[in-house]
Short mmCIF file of all heavy atoms in Angstrom, two decimals:
data_model
loop_
_atom_site.label_atom_id
_atom_site.label_comp_id
_atom_site.label_asym_id
_atom_site.label_seq_id
_atom_site.Cartn_x
_atom_site.Cartn_y
_atom_site.Cartn_z
N MET A 1 128.12 -151.68 -156.55
CA MET A 1 128.87 -151.94 -155.36
C MET A 1 127.88 -152.55 -154.34
O MET A 1 126.76 -152.09 -154.20
CB MET A 1 129.39 -150.61 -154.79
CG MET A 1 130.22 -150.72 -153.61
SD MET A 1 130.95 -149.13 -153.20
CE MET A 1 131.67 -149.59 -151.68
N SER A 2 128.34 -153.58 -153.66
CA SER A 2 127.45 -154.24 -152.69
C SER A 2 127.37 -153.45 -151.43
O SER A 2 128.18 -152.59 -151.08
CB SER A 2 128.00 -155.61 -152.40
OG SER A 2 129.16 -155.53 -151.76
N ARG A 3 126.37 -153.69 -150.67
CA ARG A 3 126.13 -153.04 -149.41
C ARG A 3 127.09 -153.60 -148.39
O ARG A 3 127.23 -154.79 -148.25
CB ARG A 3 124.69 -153.33 -148.98
CG ARG A 3 124.17 -152.56 -147.77
CD ARG A 3 122.75 -152.81 -147.58
NE ARG A 3 122.40 -152.51 -146.30
CZ ARG A 3 121.20 -152.76 -145.70
NH1 ARG A 3 120.27 -153.28 -146.45
NH2 ARG A 3 120.97 -152.38 -144.54
N ARG A 4 127.64 -152.69 -147.60
CA ARG A 4 128.64 -153.10 -146.58
C ARG A 4 127.95 -153.78 -145.40
O ARG A 4 126.80 -153.33 -145.03
CB ARG A 4 129.43 -151.91 -146.11
CG ARG A 4 130.31 -151.33 -147.24
CD ARG A 4 131.13 -150.20 -146.77
NE ARG A 4 130.21 -149.12 -146.25
CZ ARG A 4 130.66 -148.06 -145.61
NH1 ARG A 4 131.94 -147.92 -145.36
NH2 ARG A 4 129.77 -147.23 -145.22
N ARG A 5 128.58 -154.76 -144.88
CA ARG A 5 127.94 -155.45 -143.70
C ARG A 5 128.11 -154.53 -142.42
O ARG A 5 127.25 -154.41 -141.62
CB ARG A 5 128.66 -156.78 -143.51
CG ARG A 5 128.05 -157.51 -142.24
CD ARG A 5 128.45 -158.90 -142.17
NE ARG A 5 127.86 -159.41 -140.96
CZ ARG A 5 128.02 -160.71 -140.52
NH1 ARG A 5 128.75 -161.45 -141.19
NH2 ARG A 5 127.43 -161.06 -139.42
N TYR A 6 129.26 -153.99 -142.17
CA TYR A 6 129.55 -153.23 -140.98
C TYR A 6 129.69 -151.74 -141.28
O TYR A 6 130.44 -151.45 -142.25
CB TYR A 6 130.86 -153.74 -140.30
CG TYR A 6 130.79 -155.16 -139.87
CD1 TYR A 6 131.37 -156.20 -140.56
CD2 TYR A 6 130.14 -155.53 -138.69
CE1 TYR A 6 131.26 -157.53 -140.23
CE2 TYR A 6 130.09 -156.85 -138.25
CZ TYR A 6 130.67 -157.79 -139.05
OH TYR A 6 130.57 -159.11 -138.61
N VAL A 7 129.04 -150.92 -140.52
CA VAL A 7 129.23 -149.48 -140.67
C VAL A 7 129.32 -148.88 -139.33
O VAL A 7 128.83 -149.36 -138.30
CB VAL A 7 128.01 -148.86 -141.46
CG1 VAL A 7 127.98 -149.29 -142.92
CG2 VAL A 7 126.71 -149.18 -140.80
N ALA A 8 129.94 -147.65 -139.24
CA ALA A 8 130.07 -146.90 -137.94
C ALA A 8 128.86 -146.00 -137.90
O ALA A 8 128.61 -145.19 -138.84
CB ALA A 8 131.40 -146.21 -137.82
N ARG A 9 128.06 -146.00 -136.87
CA ARG A 9 126.95 -145.09 -136.65
C ARG A 9 127.26 -144.20 -135.53
O ARG A 9 127.65 -144.69 -134.44
CB ARG A 9 125.70 -145.88 -136.41
CG ARG A 9 125.12 -146.51 -137.66
CD ARG A 9 123.76 -146.99 -137.39
NE ARG A 9 123.15 -147.45 -138.56
CZ ARG A 9 121.90 -148.04 -138.66
NH1 ARG A 9 121.22 -148.11 -137.55
NH2 ARG A 9 121.49 -148.41 -139.82
N GLY A 10 126.94 -142.98 -135.69
CA GLY A 10 127.12 -142.02 -134.59
C GLY A 10 125.92 -142.13 -133.65
O GLY A 10 124.79 -142.20 -133.99
N VAL A 11 126.25 -142.26 -132.35
CA VAL A 11 125.30 -142.32 -131.23
C VAL A 11 125.74 -141.31 -130.20
O VAL A 11 126.85 -140.86 -130.23
CB VAL A 11 125.20 -143.80 -130.64
CG1 VAL A 11 124.72 -144.79 -131.61
CG2 VAL A 11 126.53 -144.20 -130.07
N PRO A 12 124.81 -140.91 -129.31
CA PRO A 12 125.17 -140.02 -128.24
C PRO A 12 126.39 -140.53 -127.40
O PRO A 12 126.38 -141.64 -126.96
CB PRO A 12 123.94 -139.89 -127.35
CG PRO A 12 122.84 -140.27 -128.26
CD PRO A 12 123.37 -141.25 -129.26
N GLY A 13 127.45 -139.85 -127.45
CA GLY A 13 128.66 -140.19 -126.76
C GLY A 13 129.75 -140.80 -127.55
O GLY A 13 130.83 -141.15 -127.04
N GLY A 14 129.50 -141.00 -128.88
CA GLY A 14 130.54 -141.57 -129.70
C GLY A 14 129.99 -142.34 -130.87
O GLY A 14 129.02 -141.94 -131.55
N TYR A 15 130.58 -143.52 -131.20
CA TYR A 15 130.20 -144.36 -132.36
C TYR A 15 129.99 -145.78 -131.92
O TYR A 15 130.68 -146.25 -131.01
CB TYR A 15 131.35 -144.31 -133.36
CG TYR A 15 131.51 -142.98 -134.05
CD1 TYR A 15 132.37 -142.02 -133.43
CD2 TYR A 15 130.82 -142.59 -135.18
CE1 TYR A 15 132.54 -140.80 -134.08
CE2 TYR A 15 131.06 -141.40 -135.77
CZ TYR A 15 131.89 -140.47 -135.19
OH TYR A 15 131.97 -139.23 -135.75
N ARG A 16 129.21 -146.48 -132.61
CA ARG A 16 128.99 -147.86 -132.47
C ARG A 16 129.09 -148.52 -133.81
O ARG A 16 128.73 -147.92 -134.84
CB ARG A 16 127.61 -148.20 -131.89
CG ARG A 16 127.50 -147.92 -130.42
CD ARG A 16 126.46 -148.84 -129.83
NE ARG A 16 126.43 -148.67 -128.35
CZ ARG A 16 127.04 -149.42 -127.52
NH1 ARG A 16 127.82 -150.40 -127.97
NH2 ARG A 16 126.97 -149.28 -126.23
N ILE A 17 129.59 -149.77 -133.90
CA ILE A 17 129.64 -150.40 -135.13
C ILE A 17 128.29 -151.20 -135.33
O ILE A 17 127.95 -152.02 -134.44
CB ILE A 17 130.86 -151.43 -135.13
CG1 ILE A 17 132.16 -150.61 -135.02
CG2 ILE A 17 130.82 -152.32 -136.42
CD1 ILE A 17 133.41 -151.45 -134.91
N TRP A 18 127.69 -150.95 -136.40
CA TRP A 18 126.43 -151.56 -136.67
C TRP A 18 126.55 -152.75 -137.73
O TRP A 18 127.22 -152.59 -138.75
CB TRP A 18 125.44 -150.56 -137.25
CG TRP A 18 124.07 -151.02 -137.58
CD1 TRP A 18 123.64 -151.38 -138.77
CD2 TRP A 18 122.95 -151.27 -136.69
NE1 TRP A 18 122.27 -151.75 -138.71
CE2 TRP A 18 121.92 -151.72 -137.37
CE3 TRP A 18 122.93 -151.10 -135.28
CZ2 TRP A 18 120.74 -152.07 -136.72
CZ3 TRP A 18 121.76 -151.41 -134.68
CH2 TRP A 18 120.71 -151.91 -135.37
N ASP A 19 126.02 -153.86 -137.38
CA ASP A 19 125.99 -155.07 -138.29
C ASP A 19 124.77 -155.09 -139.04
O ASP A 19 123.68 -155.29 -138.49
CB ASP A 19 126.21 -156.35 -137.46
CG ASP A 19 126.37 -157.55 -138.31
OD1 ASP A 19 126.16 -157.47 -139.55
OD2 ASP A 19 126.62 -158.62 -137.69
N ASN A 20 124.79 -154.85 -140.37
CA ASN A 20 123.57 -154.80 -141.18
C ASN A 20 122.96 -156.12 -141.42
O ASN A 20 121.74 -156.26 -141.60
CB ASN A 20 123.93 -154.25 -142.61
CG ASN A 20 124.01 -152.73 -142.51
OD1 ASN A 20 123.25 -152.03 -141.93
ND2 ASN A 20 125.07 -152.13 -143.24
N ARG A 21 123.73 -157.20 -141.33
CA ARG A 21 123.19 -158.49 -141.52
C ARG A 21 122.37 -158.98 -140.25
O ARG A 21 121.26 -159.49 -140.40
CB ARG A 21 124.27 -159.58 -141.66
CG ARG A 21 123.76 -160.99 -142.16
CD ARG A 21 124.82 -161.83 -142.55
NE ARG A 21 125.44 -161.34 -143.75
CZ ARG A 21 126.65 -161.82 -144.24
NH1 ARG A 21 127.29 -162.79 -143.64
NH2 ARG A 21 127.13 -161.39 -145.28
N SER A 22 122.79 -158.80 -139.09
CA SER A 22 122.08 -159.20 -137.89
C SER A 22 121.19 -158.03 -137.32
O SER A 22 120.47 -158.28 -136.38
CB SER A 22 122.97 -159.76 -136.81
OG SER A 22 123.88 -158.76 -136.42
N ARG A 23 121.40 -156.88 -137.87
CA ARG A 23 120.68 -155.71 -137.43
C ARG A 23 120.76 -155.37 -135.96
O ARG A 23 119.82 -155.21 -135.24
CB ARG A 23 119.15 -155.76 -137.83
CG ARG A 23 118.95 -155.88 -139.25
CD ARG A 23 117.57 -156.04 -139.59
NE ARG A 23 117.45 -156.24 -141.02
CZ ARG A 23 116.57 -155.61 -141.82
NH1 ARG A 23 115.82 -154.70 -141.32
NH2 ARG A 23 116.56 -155.85 -143.10
N ARG A 24 122.00 -155.31 -135.50
CA ARG A 24 122.29 -154.96 -134.07
C ARG A 24 123.76 -154.40 -134.01
O ARG A 24 124.54 -154.52 -134.94
CB ARG A 24 122.14 -156.10 -133.18
CG ARG A 24 123.15 -157.27 -133.49
CD ARG A 24 122.80 -158.43 -132.62
NE ARG A 24 123.64 -159.55 -132.98
CZ ARG A 24 124.45 -160.19 -132.12
NH1 ARG A 24 124.47 -159.86 -130.86
NH2 ARG A 24 125.15 -161.18 -132.56
N CYS A 25 123.99 -153.75 -132.88
CA CYS A 25 125.37 -153.20 -132.69
C CYS A 25 126.35 -154.37 -132.38
O CYS A 25 126.02 -155.42 -131.77
CB CYS A 25 125.37 -152.27 -131.47
SG CYS A 25 124.45 -150.78 -131.83
N TRP A 26 127.55 -154.15 -132.83
CA TRP A 26 128.61 -155.03 -132.60
C TRP A 26 129.77 -154.38 -131.86
O TRP A 26 130.20 -153.26 -132.20
CB TRP A 26 129.18 -155.53 -133.97
CG TRP A 26 130.27 -156.53 -133.89
CD1 TRP A 26 130.10 -157.82 -133.88
CD2 TRP A 26 131.69 -156.26 -133.86
NE1 TRP A 26 131.33 -158.42 -133.90
CE2 TRP A 26 132.31 -157.54 -133.83
CE3 TRP A 26 132.41 -155.14 -133.85
CZ2 TRP A 26 133.65 -157.61 -133.78
CZ3 TRP A 26 133.77 -155.18 -133.78
CH2 TRP A 26 134.41 -156.45 -133.77
N GLY A 27 130.24 -154.90 -130.81
CA GLY A 27 131.37 -154.34 -130.05
C GLY A 27 131.02 -153.23 -129.06
O GLY A 27 129.89 -153.14 -128.63
N ASP A 28 131.99 -152.49 -128.73
CA ASP A 28 131.87 -151.42 -127.69
C ASP A 28 131.51 -150.13 -128.23
O ASP A 28 131.42 -149.94 -129.46
CB ASP A 28 133.21 -151.25 -126.95
CG ASP A 28 133.66 -152.50 -126.30
OD1 ASP A 28 132.86 -153.31 -125.84
OD2 ASP A 28 134.93 -152.71 -126.18
N LEU A 29 131.32 -149.12 -127.39
CA LEU A 29 131.08 -147.77 -127.75
C LEU A 29 132.40 -147.12 -127.88
O LEU A 29 133.32 -147.21 -127.02
CB LEU A 29 130.29 -147.01 -126.62
CG LEU A 29 130.06 -145.53 -126.85
CD1 LEU A 29 129.11 -145.29 -128.07
CD2 LEU A 29 129.50 -144.86 -125.57
N TYR A 30 132.74 -146.49 -129.06
CA TYR A 30 133.99 -145.82 -129.27
C TYR A 30 133.82 -144.31 -129.31
O TYR A 30 132.86 -143.88 -129.94
CB TYR A 30 134.56 -146.33 -130.61
CG TYR A 30 134.76 -147.81 -130.67
CD1 TYR A 30 133.83 -148.67 -131.25
CD2 TYR A 30 135.90 -148.36 -130.14
CE1 TYR A 30 133.99 -150.01 -131.28
CE2 TYR A 30 136.12 -149.72 -130.15
CZ TYR A 30 135.20 -150.56 -130.70
OH TYR A 30 135.37 -151.92 -130.78
N GLU A 31 134.76 -143.52 -128.68
CA GLU A 31 134.64 -142.10 -128.64
C GLU A 31 135.11 -141.55 -129.98
O GLU A 31 134.59 -140.59 -130.44
CB GLU A 31 135.50 -141.57 -127.57
CG GLU A 31 134.91 -141.89 -126.20
CD GLU A 31 135.83 -141.30 -125.08
OE1 GLU A 31 136.74 -140.57 -125.31
OE2 GLU A 31 135.47 -141.65 -123.88
N LEU A 32 136.11 -142.17 -130.65
CA LEU A 32 136.60 -141.78 -131.95
C LEU A 32 136.06 -142.76 -133.02
O LEU A 32 135.81 -143.93 -132.73
CB LEU A 32 138.18 -141.72 -131.95
CG LEU A 32 138.81 -140.86 -130.96
CD1 LEU A 32 140.30 -141.13 -130.95
CD2 LEU A 32 138.46 -139.42 -131.20
N CYS A 33 135.84 -142.28 -134.20
CA CYS A 33 135.28 -143.05 -135.27
C CYS A 33 136.32 -144.13 -135.65
O CYS A 33 137.35 -143.89 -136.02
CB CYS A 33 134.98 -142.18 -136.44
SG CYS A 33 134.07 -143.18 -137.70
N PRO A 34 135.90 -145.35 -135.49
CA PRO A 34 136.84 -146.50 -135.84
C PRO A 34 136.82 -146.89 -137.27
O PRO A 34 136.45 -148.07 -137.68
CB PRO A 34 136.24 -147.67 -134.92
CG PRO A 34 134.83 -147.41 -134.93
CD PRO A 34 134.68 -145.88 -134.97
N ASP A 35 137.33 -145.97 -138.15
CA ASP A 35 137.32 -146.21 -139.60
C ASP A 35 138.17 -147.47 -139.99
O ASP A 35 137.77 -148.23 -140.81
CB ASP A 35 137.84 -145.00 -140.34
CG ASP A 35 136.83 -143.91 -140.26
OD1 ASP A 35 135.60 -144.15 -140.29
OD2 ASP A 35 137.32 -142.70 -140.32
N GLU A 36 139.36 -147.62 -139.41
CA GLU A 36 140.29 -148.73 -139.78
C GLU A 36 139.56 -150.06 -139.36
O GLU A 36 139.69 -151.02 -140.03
CB GLU A 36 141.56 -148.59 -139.01
CG GLU A 36 142.42 -147.44 -139.47
CD GLU A 36 143.63 -147.26 -138.63
OE1 GLU A 36 143.61 -147.69 -137.49
OE2 GLU A 36 144.54 -146.58 -139.03
N LEU A 37 139.00 -150.04 -138.16
CA LEU A 37 138.34 -151.23 -137.67
C LEU A 37 137.14 -151.69 -138.54
O LEU A 37 137.05 -152.83 -138.91
CB LEU A 37 137.83 -150.99 -136.23
CG LEU A 37 137.14 -152.18 -135.51
CD1 LEU A 37 138.09 -153.41 -135.46
CD2 LEU A 37 136.80 -151.73 -134.11
N VAL A 38 136.34 -150.69 -139.02
CA VAL A 38 135.16 -151.07 -139.88
C VAL A 38 135.70 -151.55 -141.25
O VAL A 38 135.17 -152.50 -141.77
CB VAL A 38 134.34 -149.82 -140.03
CG1 VAL A 38 133.22 -150.06 -141.09
CG2 VAL A 38 133.64 -149.40 -138.73
N ALA A 39 136.72 -150.91 -141.77
CA ALA A 39 137.28 -151.37 -143.03
C ALA A 39 137.83 -152.79 -142.92
O ALA A 39 137.67 -153.65 -143.79
CB ALA A 39 138.46 -150.39 -143.51
N ALA A 40 138.44 -153.06 -141.79
CA ALA A 40 138.99 -154.49 -141.56
C ALA A 40 137.95 -155.47 -141.46
O ALA A 40 138.07 -156.57 -141.98
CB ALA A 40 139.91 -154.40 -140.35
N LEU A 41 136.81 -155.13 -140.77
CA LEU A 41 135.74 -156.05 -140.59
C LEU A 41 135.11 -156.31 -141.97
O LEU A 41 134.74 -157.49 -142.29
CB LEU A 41 134.63 -155.50 -139.65
CG LEU A 41 134.99 -155.55 -138.16
CD1 LEU A 41 134.00 -154.64 -137.41
CD2 LEU A 41 134.95 -156.94 -137.71
N ASN A 42 134.91 -155.34 -142.77
CA ASN A 42 134.35 -155.59 -144.14
C ASN A 42 135.24 -156.35 -145.05
O ASN A 42 134.80 -156.97 -145.93
CB ASN A 42 133.90 -154.17 -144.72
CG ASN A 42 132.65 -153.59 -144.08
OD1 ASN A 42 131.76 -154.35 -143.77
ND2 ASN A 42 132.68 -152.29 -143.83
N ALA A 43 136.56 -156.19 -144.81
CA ALA A 43 137.52 -156.89 -145.73
C ALA A 43 137.71 -158.31 -145.31
O ALA A 43 138.25 -159.13 -146.10
CB ALA A 43 138.86 -156.10 -145.73
N GLY A 44 137.30 -158.71 -144.12
CA GLY A 44 137.47 -160.02 -143.62
C GLY A 44 138.91 -160.38 -143.25
O GLY A 44 139.36 -161.43 -143.68
N VAL A 45 139.59 -159.53 -142.50
CA VAL A 45 140.99 -159.78 -142.19
C VAL A 45 141.02 -160.98 -141.11
O VAL A 45 140.00 -161.35 -140.60
CB VAL A 45 141.63 -158.52 -141.58
CG1 VAL A 45 141.68 -157.39 -142.61
CG2 VAL A 45 140.94 -158.12 -140.33
N ASP A 46 142.28 -161.41 -140.84
CA ASP A 46 142.45 -162.53 -139.92
C ASP A 46 142.20 -162.00 -138.48
O ASP A 46 142.20 -160.81 -138.21
CB ASP A 46 143.81 -163.13 -140.08
CG ASP A 46 144.94 -162.12 -139.81
OD1 ASP A 46 144.84 -160.94 -140.24
OD2 ASP A 46 145.86 -162.39 -139.12
N ARG A 47 142.02 -162.99 -137.63
CA ARG A 47 141.66 -162.72 -136.25
C ARG A 47 142.74 -161.91 -135.46
O ARG A 47 142.45 -161.10 -134.67
CB ARG A 47 141.40 -164.02 -135.53
CG ARG A 47 140.88 -163.91 -134.11
CD ARG A 47 140.51 -165.25 -133.56
NE ARG A 47 139.37 -165.72 -134.24
CZ ARG A 47 138.17 -166.03 -133.67
NH1 ARG A 47 138.06 -165.85 -132.36
NH2 ARG A 47 137.16 -166.42 -134.36
N ALA A 48 143.99 -162.17 -135.75
CA ALA A 48 145.07 -161.49 -135.04
C ALA A 48 145.12 -160.01 -135.38
O ALA A 48 145.23 -159.15 -134.49
CB ALA A 48 146.43 -162.12 -135.38
N THR A 49 144.90 -159.65 -136.62
CA THR A 49 144.86 -158.28 -137.04
C THR A 49 143.63 -157.59 -136.42
O THR A 49 143.76 -156.46 -135.94
CB THR A 49 144.80 -158.15 -138.62
OG1 THR A 49 145.89 -158.87 -139.14
CG2 THR A 49 144.79 -156.76 -139.02
N LEU A 50 142.50 -158.26 -136.46
CA LEU A 50 141.31 -157.72 -135.85
C LEU A 50 141.47 -157.47 -134.36
O LEU A 50 141.12 -156.46 -133.86
CB LEU A 50 140.12 -158.60 -136.17
CG LEU A 50 138.76 -158.10 -135.83
CD1 LEU A 50 138.51 -156.85 -136.64
CD2 LEU A 50 137.72 -159.16 -136.20
N THR A 51 142.09 -158.39 -133.69
CA THR A 51 142.33 -158.25 -132.25
C THR A 51 143.24 -157.10 -131.96
O THR A 51 142.94 -156.27 -131.01
CB THR A 51 142.85 -159.58 -131.64
OG1 THR A 51 141.98 -160.66 -131.98
CG2 THR A 51 143.07 -159.45 -130.20
N ALA A 52 144.23 -156.85 -132.74
CA ALA A 52 145.13 -155.79 -132.55
C ALA A 52 144.39 -154.48 -132.82
O ALA A 52 144.63 -153.47 -132.02
CB ALA A 52 146.37 -155.86 -133.50
N LEU A 53 143.51 -154.42 -133.79
CA LEU A 53 142.78 -153.09 -134.02
C LEU A 53 141.83 -152.82 -132.89
O LEU A 53 141.64 -151.71 -132.43
CB LEU A 53 142.03 -153.21 -135.30
CG LEU A 53 142.84 -153.05 -136.65
CD1 LEU A 53 142.14 -153.38 -137.82
CD2 LEU A 53 143.43 -151.64 -136.73
N LEU A 54 141.15 -153.88 -132.37
CA LEU A 54 140.24 -153.75 -131.23
C LEU A 54 140.94 -153.17 -129.98
O LEU A 54 140.43 -152.31 -129.34
CB LEU A 54 139.59 -155.03 -130.90
CG LEU A 54 138.41 -155.54 -131.80
CD1 LEU A 54 138.05 -156.88 -131.55
CD2 LEU A 54 137.27 -154.49 -131.60
N ARG A 55 142.09 -153.74 -129.74
CA ARG A 55 142.93 -153.30 -128.57
C ARG A 55 143.34 -151.83 -128.69
O ARG A 55 143.33 -151.07 -127.79
CB ARG A 55 144.11 -154.26 -128.38
CG ARG A 55 143.72 -155.57 -127.77
CD ARG A 55 144.92 -156.38 -127.53
NE ARG A 55 144.56 -157.71 -126.98
CZ ARG A 55 145.22 -158.73 -127.10
NH1 ARG A 55 146.44 -158.79 -127.75
NH2 ARG A 55 144.80 -159.89 -126.65
N ARG A 56 143.75 -151.50 -129.92
CA ARG A 56 144.19 -150.07 -130.16
C ARG A 56 143.05 -149.05 -129.98
O ARG A 56 143.25 -148.06 -129.35
CB ARG A 56 144.86 -149.92 -131.53
CG ARG A 56 145.45 -148.59 -131.77
CD ARG A 56 146.33 -148.56 -132.94
NE ARG A 56 145.53 -148.64 -134.17
CZ ARG A 56 145.95 -149.10 -135.30
NH1 ARG A 56 147.15 -149.54 -135.43
NH2 ARG A 56 145.17 -149.06 -136.33
N HIS A 57 141.87 -149.47 -130.54
CA HIS A 57 140.74 -148.51 -130.36
C HIS A 57 140.21 -148.54 -128.99
O HIS A 57 139.69 -147.42 -128.50
CB HIS A 57 139.58 -148.90 -131.36
CG HIS A 57 139.92 -148.49 -132.77
ND1 HIS A 57 139.80 -147.17 -133.18
CD2 HIS A 57 140.39 -149.16 -133.82
CE1 HIS A 57 140.18 -147.08 -134.40
NE2 HIS A 57 140.53 -148.22 -134.91
N ARG A 58 140.25 -149.58 -128.25
CA ARG A 58 139.84 -149.57 -126.84
C ARG A 58 140.71 -148.75 -126.00
O ARG A 58 140.33 -148.03 -125.13
CB ARG A 58 139.79 -150.99 -126.26
CG ARG A 58 138.57 -151.79 -126.68
CD ARG A 58 138.57 -153.11 -126.02
NE ARG A 58 137.52 -153.88 -126.60
CZ ARG A 58 137.62 -155.22 -126.86
NH1 ARG A 58 138.73 -155.84 -126.48
NH2 ARG A 58 136.64 -155.87 -127.32
N ALA A 59 142.03 -148.74 -126.28
CA ALA A 59 143.01 -147.99 -125.51
C ALA A 59 142.88 -146.47 -125.94
O ALA A 59 143.11 -145.65 -125.04
CB ALA A 59 144.42 -148.47 -125.88
N ALA A 60 142.39 -146.18 -127.05
CA ALA A 60 142.32 -144.73 -127.47
C ALA A 60 141.15 -144.05 -126.68
O ALA A 60 141.14 -142.82 -126.63
CB ALA A 60 142.04 -144.61 -128.95
N LYS A 61 140.19 -144.79 -126.26
CA LYS A 61 139.04 -144.14 -125.58
C LYS A 61 139.29 -143.96 -124.08
O LYS A 61 138.46 -143.33 -123.46
CB LYS A 61 137.79 -144.97 -125.78
CG LYS A 61 137.65 -146.20 -124.98
CD LYS A 61 136.25 -146.87 -125.27
CE LYS A 61 136.09 -148.05 -124.37
NZ LYS A 61 134.73 -148.63 -124.56
N ARG A 62 140.40 -144.49 -123.57
CA ARG A 62 140.72 -144.25 -122.13
C ARG A 62 141.45 -143.00 -121.92
O ARG A 62 142.15 -142.48 -122.64
CB ARG A 62 141.55 -145.46 -121.58
CG ARG A 62 140.65 -146.69 -121.65
CD ARG A 62 141.48 -147.84 -121.01
NE ARG A 62 140.59 -149.05 -121.12
CZ ARG A 62 141.15 -150.27 -121.21
NH1 ARG A 62 142.36 -150.42 -120.97
NH2 ARG A 62 140.33 -151.30 -121.29
#
């Protein structure tokens, strides 16, 4: 099995999405673990689906 590009890492205050290729955080700080979002990023879904997932996870932290 190949190494995943995006993983969710626990940080103080929630989770951040870590990009293994560029070795930096991607996106916002999430209070809940964004498992669906990480799976979609690794699967390479289309932009519309990814945008919908981002909006849903941003709304969940408010």
Side-chain angles (χ1 to χ4, degrees):
M1 184 173 175
S2 66
R3 188 172 159 187
R4 294 182 300 171
R5 179 171 179 180
Y6 299 100
V7 293
R9 285 194 173 176
V11 295
Y15 292 89
R16 286 208 175 264
I17 296 175
W18 182 258
D19 184 353
N20 282 319
R21 190 172 294 167
S22 64
R23 297 179 186 228
R24 63 185 175 125
C25 290
W26 181 92
D28 299 329
L29 177 69
Y30 300 98
E31 291 179 6
L32 302 173
C33 187
D35 291 328
E36 294 172 342
L37 182 57
V38 172
L41 284 168
N42 285 320
V45 298
D46 60 315
R47 186 174 291 242
T49 305
L50 190 59
T51 303
L53 284 170
L54 282 169
R55 286 182 181 156
R56 187 166 71 206
H57 282 285
R58 282 184 190 141
K61 73 177 189 176
R62 291 181 186 160

